[in-house]
Amino acid sequence: MKAALIVDFHGSSGGDFVNIIIIKALVAKGFHVDIYTSTEEKLIEAYSSFEENIPRKTRIIGIKTILPNPYSIYFILKKIRNLNDYDVVILNDDVPKNLNNIKSMIYIHFPHAARVKYNVLVERKYTDSGIGWIKWQLHRRLFPHYFHVDGSFQSDRIFLTNSTLTEFWTKKLWPNAQIKILYPPVQAKKIIKKTNKSVNPKKNQIVYVGRIMPDKGIEDIIMAISYISNAKVKLLGPVDNHNYLKKLKRLIKKYNLERKVELKGKLPRDKLLDVLIESKVIVHPAPLEPFGIAVVEGMAAGCIPIVKRGFNGPWVDILKRREKNGYAYSDIDELTVKILQAMNNNLDTTKVQTCAMQFDEEHFINTFTRFLESLEFSTA
């Protein structure tokens, strides 16, 4: 059997790991996998970052495109002459109009189509500046020419969504489609093993992992730590909005927190895991996060998670709307109280790690395989 995976990689993102595990699951099921991508170098980087080996039954086919993702996927599809030779085609997030009636699975982190059609989860870099707004309007007009933003689909196409929030918006787009929730895979078992080998006690340290951008609400953490005397904060992640970074630095300076708050930027994965393992608390303040892989990784590393209460992945899908294996907050005062509670080890971190295990890659592979089998492939 043959499968085609048509995706772009970013190097070390959670989405990259999802695609790595999808490839592993396909190969384990007996598929020969062709990986079509416009970012071949980032694919290699992703495998290295997550310490995974590219399986033997795979072939990497680099196809350069002029336009960036998501448009690159449309043009890659256009260049594949033998698409009908594949038993299944797998993509991320959206349905290109030239996919036609090919048997396919779409793993959705969050659909661009929902952003375009309903103006939801639009990053503030597109709404807070004139140039950004022009780019967004151009994208909104261009996207429907290349991708479906509504319509119905045949029964041999399955949409796998990463969370309840993503499922909601996908169903709003395509109410008659086959839509299932499949939480993204996390290296939970591997992180727990690495954590349990550590002999150093955890520090009174709070960590944030994610992109540095206004949509993430990072100022909540800075404001809360200004009321706490015996803790430090490390903010980890690539800078997506330099104006927002300047705002955070001004806030740190205003409250004299230069010795308490460190902006570490994007770290190599092994260094990132070291910071998680040495920290007591991970705070994820984004109010509209589709899932929140970093939260689960922090839990696997023995961090108590504190998330923003609301219709988002960390609260609904990870903590299940309960403060049993973590905490939630609605405002700065509540966040401050919850940080102090977490610092005092009010929760059993072993149970927190057990909670993280339900998102381990092994569970993803088993569930993905069941959905794959539902497409009824011929083995002739």
Side-chain angles (χ1 to χ4, degrees):
M1 295 184 291
K2 291 176 64 179
L5 179 69
I6 306 170
V7 295
D8 281 336
F9 286 78
H10 301 89
S12 59
S13 71
D16 291 331
F17 188 64
V18 171
N19 287 315
I20 287 172
I21 301 305
I22 285 175
I23 293 165
K24 182 184 286 189
L26 288 166
V27 170
K29 191 62 181 172
F31 282 86
H32 291 266
V33 183
D34 285 346
I35 308 166
Y36 293 90
T37 182
S38 70
T39 55
E40 190 175 351
E41 314 81 20
K42 293 295 183 180
L43 182 155
I44 303 300
E45 181 184 331
Y47 269 94
S48 175
S49 176
F50 288 102
E51 298 180 342
E52 293 280 344
N53 297 317
I54 300 174
R56 290 183 179 180
K57 290 184 178 181
T58 59
R59 183 173 57 152
I60 301 170
I61 303 164
I63 298 178
K64 295 301 179 184
T65 60
I66 296 173
L67 292 178
N69 189 276
Y71 300 100
S72 55
I73 303 304
Y74 176 92
F75 290 104
I76 289 172
L77 268 171
K78 195 174 181 180
K79 293 180 180 180
I80 303 174
R81 299 183 183 277
N82 59 335
L83 200 61
N84 286 303
D85 291 347
Y86 292 101
D87 295 282
V88 65
V89 174
I90 299 173
L91 303 94
N92 289 172
D93 297 335
D94 290 279
V95 185
K97 287 188 172 180
N98 57 349
L99 184 58
N100 300 320
N101 293 324
I102 301 295
K103 191 177 288 186
S104 57
M105 299 177 75
I106 317 292
Y107 190 86
I108 304 181
H109 306 278
F110 196 82
H112 287 278
R115 302 179 202 269
V116 168
K117 186 173 182 179
Y118 300 112
N119 217 36
V120 63
L121 258 70
V122 180
E123 293 180 11
R124 282 168 56 183
K125 66 182 178 182
Y126 295 119
T127 60
D128 289 356
S129 72
I131 294 175
W133 181 248
I134 291 170
K135 288 180 178 179
W136 173 244
Q137 293 306 314
L138 178 63
H139 177 54
R140 287 192 73 185
R141 285 165 173 76
L142 193 61
F143 186 85
H145 291 286
Y146 296 97
F147 294 88
H148 291 284
V149 294
D150 50 30
S152 59
F153 298 105
Q154 69 278 12
S155 60
D156 55 355
R157 178 170 295 157
I158 295 178
F159 293 85
L160 302 176
T161 64
N162 68 346
S163 68
T164 303
L165 175 66
T166 303
E167 180 197 42
F168 172 84
W169 287 104
T170 304
K171 283 184 174 179
K172 195 171 177 67
L173 284 166
W174 303 301
N176 298 320
Q178 289 192 78
I179 301 169
K180 311 286 186 181
I181 295 178
L182 176 56
Y183 296 131
V186 179
Q187 291 180 311
K189 187 182 295 183
K190 183 177 181 179
I191 296 172
I192 290 171
K193 185 176 180 180
K194 182 179 175 71
T195 301
N196 292 343
K197 283 183 177 180
S198 176
V199 295
N200 298 320
K202 282 184 172 286
K203 301 175 182 178
N204 278 348
Q205 183 169 283
I206 302 150
V207 63
Y208 161 84
V209 180
R211 291 182 291 168
I212 308 298
M213 55 192 294
D215 314 73
K216 299 297 186 181
I218 304 168
E219 57 267 37
D220 284 5
I221 302 173
I222 295 173
M223 293 297 295
I225 198 66
S226 69
Y227 297 108
I228 299 172
S229 59
N230 63 338
K232 291 186 176 182
V233 173
K234 288 188 177 181
L235 305 175
L236 314 183
V239 178
D240 263 24
N241 188 309
H242 288 278
N243 288 332
Y244 184 62
L245 176 64
K246 291 176 183 177
K247 176 184 176 179
L248 294 180
K249 287 181 176 179
R250 288 195 299 269
L251 203 59
I252 291 167
K253 186 175 182 180
K254 177 181 178 181
Y255 291 100
N256 299 313
L257 299 173
E258 291 90 345
R259 293 185 178 181
K260 294 178 68 175
V261 180
E262 292 184 64
L263 286 154
K264 303 293 288 184
K266 183 179 179 180
L267 297 181
R269 183 157 178 80
D270 59 335
K271 301 298 182 185
L272 183 151
L273 293 180
D274 287 343
V275 174
L276 289 176
I277 290 169
E278 72 181 18
S279 301
K280 280 188 176 181
V281 179
I282 182 166
V283 177
H284 200 80
L288 286 173
E289 184 72 49
F291 182 72
I293 289 175
V295 176
V296 180
E297 290 181 334
M299 293 169 72
C303 297
I304 304 298
I306 305 176
V307 306
K308 194 70 176 277
R309 191 179 283 108
F311 187 32
N312 58 60
W315 176 234
V316 174
D317 297 292
I318 298 174
L319 294 186
K320 310 297 184 187
R321 295 188 175 96
R322 294 182 299 169
E323 293 187 291
K324 181 180 179 182
N325 296 302
Y327 296 114
Y329 77 98
S330 298
D331 55 40
I332 304 300
D333 289 341
E334 189 177 12
L335 174 58
T336 305
V337 170
K338 295 299 172 63
I339 289 174
L340 289 170
Q341 288 178 345
M343 288 291 183
N344 290 327
N345 298 316
N346 283 3
L347 292 177
D348 185 342
T349 55
T350 302
K351 291 182 179 178
V352 171
Q353 288 179 312
T354 300
C355 178
M357 274 300 297
Q358 67 183 300
F359 304 102
D360 188 67
E361 61 185 85
E362 185 176 340
H363 174 76
F364 179 94
I365 289 173
N366 292 337
T367 309
F368 177 84
T369 301
R370 287 201 303 271
F371 290 141
L372 192 64
E373 290 169 347
S374 72
L375 286 174
E376 298 180 357
F377 297 104
S378 169
T379 56

